[in-house]
């Protein structure tokens, strides 16, 4: 059973066998062709391929090998009366990572651009190939961050303050790049970023740091001189690396030897199945490599046929507690999908080319937030007693996803998302200095006494608008610590609030509560923990 995947992706990584041997990919041209041809014969007429450029030891012939490989695969997958196989290619710029043999490798931004242009010219001549190149600025920034040292901490904080969040690159590359660029410049590391861009990375570090002396003054522990220690530029191989102090078990000498092996295109066998290359991992500290045999592949039971009959709809109230707070919304959907299948529950599937199980979670919970009041709807192909459903589903879910209640609703009833009107939260909020309960209550009352508290909101289309947060707040109170005397100081409390939570974006988020408190208290608050207590549906809140 399960969902049909919308695309099929292969990752040959490099365009020539030599390069694939350098990166120890362990994939031959024949194997690649066999995989692609099998998919084509099974009905796929579009395949995604993932390649990298800028790998160590790469020549222009290797770069052009990517286009040659794609052309060859197209030639091999042709038949009369059949649409020719088309490809969606992603070509990324290789970004070296610490603790790998390629941790000393660098490629300049201009070299990446030149290689991208070489490929653009080749692909211009080919039909049925869509190519997506990774922005060279994104790669340079990834490299700067990936191989940064402790000075990076200030950059990360500042970039975050300037709006460079997790998805910022995908929302707007210009805005994200500008936030990172400003953060790097404010911390005085522009010279280091330029090094990465120029492909120099840790070469000449000592000299550049001396040049930077006028603008960058790290705080040193008391008693230490701030004058730079003169050092000759050291060859990058022998220079200490910022992450050397982390013991992954792999010997640095082995990494150097492996880089040399890579340059000579010698492949290193996977030690799970073939000889040990003495990388240093096995030993008293890390134990030994134990290979667990995969379980036998079961008998093919025929292709999955989705059943889209809808006979019953169940609404479930559940919790997301403890470590489960770290399971993302999409992973939670997958978790329910798997639990339903393991419990052999008769779930109904959507129609169309990509049928998916009819499981709909009412309101995504942000990562890290716990809850005891989530709602999910399931549509079934057969009638089941709600209690039987609860028991079967619970038996396949982790203990921190408790099921509180299961109710049967009409098939035609509106979705819980549509009738969602409010949400109740418990917030653990801290102040920089300890204050007593009386002070907390005073701040809470002040917020409640106000008629308007304006907040500038940016819409999805990028427009800004002012919203009155006070309109969205229904209840607010201090609930903990209950048995603390009102004069006793403490730096955190638990607040309970009930606010609007509607599908159209009329939502009162936890950070809005701290903002409102900051307006009346003139103190900066910190949200230590968020717990969603319950979601309220229209029929419940009057
Ligand atoms: S067997 Fe152990 S020491 Fe040998 S290569 Fe594998 S991980 Fe390294």
């Amino acid at each position: 059973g399960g969902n049909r995947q919308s695309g099929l992706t292969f990752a040959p990584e490099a365009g020539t066998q030599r390069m694939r041997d350098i990166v120890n990919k362990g994939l031959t041209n024949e194997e690649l062709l066999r995989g692609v041809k099998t998919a084509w014969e099974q009905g796929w007429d579009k395949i995604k391929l993932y390649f990298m450029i800028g790998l160590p030891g790469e020549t222009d012939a290797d770069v052009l090998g990517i286009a040659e490989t794609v052309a060859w695969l197209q030639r091999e997958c042709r038949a009369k009366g059949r649409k020719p196989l088309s490809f969606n290619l992603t070509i990324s710029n290789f970004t070296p990572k610490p603790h790998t043999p390629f941790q000393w490798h660098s490629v300049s931004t201009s070299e990446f651009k030149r290689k991208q242009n070489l490929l653009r010219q080749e692909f211009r001549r080919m039909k049925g190939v869509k190519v997506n190149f990774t922005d060279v600025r994104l790669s340079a920034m990834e490299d700067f961050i990936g191989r940064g040292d402790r000075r990076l901490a200030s950059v990360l904080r500042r970039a975050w303050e300037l709006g460079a969040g997790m998805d910022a690159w995908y929302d707007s590359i210009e805005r994200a790049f500008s936030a990172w660029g400003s953060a790097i410049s404010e911390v005085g590391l522009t010279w280091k970023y330029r090094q990465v861009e120029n492909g120099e990375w840790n070469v000449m570090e000592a000299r550049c740091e001396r040049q930077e002396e006028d603008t960058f003054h790290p705080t040193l522990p008391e008693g230490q001189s701030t004058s730079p220690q003169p050092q000759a530029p050291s060859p990058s191989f022998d220079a200490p690396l910022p992450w050397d102090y982390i013991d992954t078990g792999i010997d640095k000498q082995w990494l150097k030897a492996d880089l040399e092996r890579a340059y000579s295109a010698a492949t290193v066998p996977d030690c799970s199945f073939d000889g040990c290359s003495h990388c240093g991992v096995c030993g008293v500290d890390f134990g030994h490599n134990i290979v667990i045999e995969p379980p036998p592949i079961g008998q093919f039971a025929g292709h999955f046929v989705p059943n889209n009959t809808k006979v019953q709809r169940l609404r479930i109230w559940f919790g997301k507690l403890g470590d489960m707070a770290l399971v993302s919304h999409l992973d939670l959907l997958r978790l329910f999908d798997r639990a339903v299948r393991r419990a052999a529950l008769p779930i109904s599937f959507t129609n169309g080319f990509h049928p998916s199980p009819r499981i709909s979670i009412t309101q995504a919970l942000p990562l890290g937030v716990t809850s005891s009041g989530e709602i999910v709807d399931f549509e079934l192909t057969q009638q089941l007693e709600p209690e039987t459903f609860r028991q079967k589903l619970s038996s396949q879910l982790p203990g921190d996803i408790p099921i509180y209640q299961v109710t049967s609703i009409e098939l035609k009833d509106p979705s819980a998302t549509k009738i969602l009107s409010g949400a109740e939260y418990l917030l653990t909020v801290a102040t920089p200095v300890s204050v007593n309960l009386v002070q907390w209550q005073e701040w809470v009352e002040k917020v409640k006494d106000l008629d308007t508290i304006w907040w500038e909101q940016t819409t999805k289309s990028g427009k800004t608008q002012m919203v009155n947060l006070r309109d969205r707040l229904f209840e607010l109170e201090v609930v903990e610590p209950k048995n603390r005397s009102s004069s006793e100081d403490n730096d955190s409390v638990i607040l309970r609030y009930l606010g609007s939570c509607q599908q159209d974006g009329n939502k009162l988020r936890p950070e809005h509560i701290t903002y409102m408190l900051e307006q009346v208290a003139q103190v900066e608050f910190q949200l230590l923990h968020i717990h969603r207590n319950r979601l309220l549906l229209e029929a419940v809140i009057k």
Side-chain angles (χ1 to χ4, degrees), residues 214-376:
D214 288 341
T215 51
F216 179 60
H217 301 282
T219 317
L220 293 178
E222 225 174 294
Q224 277 197 30
S225 155
T226 51
S227 60
Q229 297 301 306
Q231 283 171 19
S234 48
S236 52
F237 248 137
D238 297 321
L241 298 169
W243 48 89
D244 276 352
Y245 72 97
I246 299 170
D247 183 12
T248 61
I250 299 182
D251 189 346
K252 197 169 171 186
Q253 291 308 319
W254 184 89
L255 290 177
K256 284 186 195 176
D258 199 51
L259 181 62
E260 274 158 30
R261 277 192 293 265
Y263 279 131
S264 61
T267 53
V268 180
D270 180 341
C271 63
S272 302
F273 309 105
D274 229 329
C276 164
S277 62
H278 307 284
C279 72
V281 168
C282 294
V284 266
D285 292 342
F286 287 88
H288 288 271
N289 192 1
I290 299 167
V291 181
I292 312 256
E293 285 292 320
I297 297 172
Q299 204 74 37
F300 181 57
H303 286 288
F304 168 66
V305 183
N307 183 345
N308 36 45
T309 322
K310 285 190 282 177
V311 172
Q312 189 184 22
R313 202 150 145 228
L314 295 174
R315 181 155 293 163
I316 280 96
W317 278 261
F318 69 97
K320 202 164 172 247
L321 309 171
D323 288 350
M324 286 297 119
L326 300 173
V327 171
S328 73
H329 181 65
L330 277 182
D331 283 337
L332 183 66
L333 260 178
R334 278 183 211 118
L335 180 72
F336 277 128
D337 178 18
R338 286 179 190 153
V340 157
R341 280 192 270 150
R342 287 174 63 134
L345 287 163
I347 193 78
S348 169
F349 278 78
T350 57
N351 297 310
F353 195 62
H354 302 302
S356 55
R358 294 189 210 261
I359 303 173
S360 103
I361 300 176
T362 302
Q363 177 66 218
L365 195 66
L367 206 66
V369 176
T370 54
S371 173
S372 48
E374 300 305 288
I375 300 173
V376 55

Side-chain angles (χ1 to χ4, degrees), residues 451-457 465-471 515-516 519:
D451 290 330
T452 50
I453 302 177
W454 295 104
W455 165 272
E456 190 181 283
Q457 182 173 285
Q465 62 186 49
M466 298 305 285
V467 293
N468 181 7
L469 294 180
R470 185 61 190 85
D471 277 352
Y515 173 78
M516 290 200 273
Q519 301 312 298

Side-chain angles (χ1 to χ4, degrees), residues 110 116 137 139 167 315 326 352 372 395 404 437 456 487 517:
S110 56
Q116 288 185 343
R137 294 171 300 173
S139 306
D167 304 330
R315 181 155 293 163
L326 300 173
S372 48
S395 69
Y404 303 121
L437 217 48
E456 190 181 283
S487 58
L517 285 165

